[in-house]
Amino acid sequence: MRWVGNEAAPELEVEVAERANGKPVCSGCGHHRPGYDRLAKRRFEFVPLWGIKVFLVYAPRRVECPSCGIRVEQMPWAMGKRPLTRAYGWFLASWARRLSWKGFFVDSCEA
């Protein structure tokens, strides 16, 4: 882990590493396959802690799959190419359900 950003907008980066003896999982068929190479590191935004942005940093492996070809490994926290994690997506969705659109539009029209 490391602190990045500045005092006004602090961010926490958490470096994610795969298990030493683990094979990557093909994102197409879901089977364990041998690794091909690595892509550049990517940042995935996680649920903020006490107003501090949290990012998972990971260099995804590419998989050589006989049925799917060369694909990026499946990452359990990621939603395809989106920079948000699944946990953060669910977090935002739960907050969106609690928001009142009627109250939002009434309050903004009165201002």
Side-chain angles (χ1 to χ4, degrees):
M1 283 191 307
R2 65 181 166 274
W3 289 101
V4 294
N6 54 32
E7 201 169 302
E11 296 177 355
L12 182 63
E13 283 189 344
V14 179
E15 193 85 26
V16 178
E18 71 280 350
R19 277 187 8 198
N21 60 351
K23 282 188 176 180
V25 176
C26 176
S27 60
C29 63
H31 290 94
H32 292 273
R33 302 291 186 201
Y36 181 73
D37 65 358
R38 285 192 174 274
L39 297 173
K41 287 185 179 181
R42 292 176 52 193
R43 285 173 31 132
F44 299 91
E45 192 167 358
F46 193 68
V47 180
L49 299 172
W50 302 291
I52 299 170
K53 287 187 175 185
V54 178
F55 293 93
L56 302 180
V57 179
Y58 182 66
R61 299 174 286 183
R62 290 199 300 170
V63 178
E64 191 170 4
C65 181
S67 58
C68 304
I70 296 175
R71 311 241 353 209
V72 176
E73 73 176 311
Q74 179 181 2
M75 293 170 280
W77 63 86
M79 299 184 299
K81 294 183 179 182
R82 295 181 191 100
L84 300 178
T85 59
R86 288 183 191 273
Y88 197 35
W90 283 106
F91 175 77
L92 293 174
S94 68
W95 272 104
R97 277 191 5 199
R98 294 179 187 178
L99 292 176
S100 166
W101 283 98
K102 184 178 178 182
F104 173 76
F105 286 116
V106 170
D107 293 342
S108 63
C109 291
E110 291 174 359

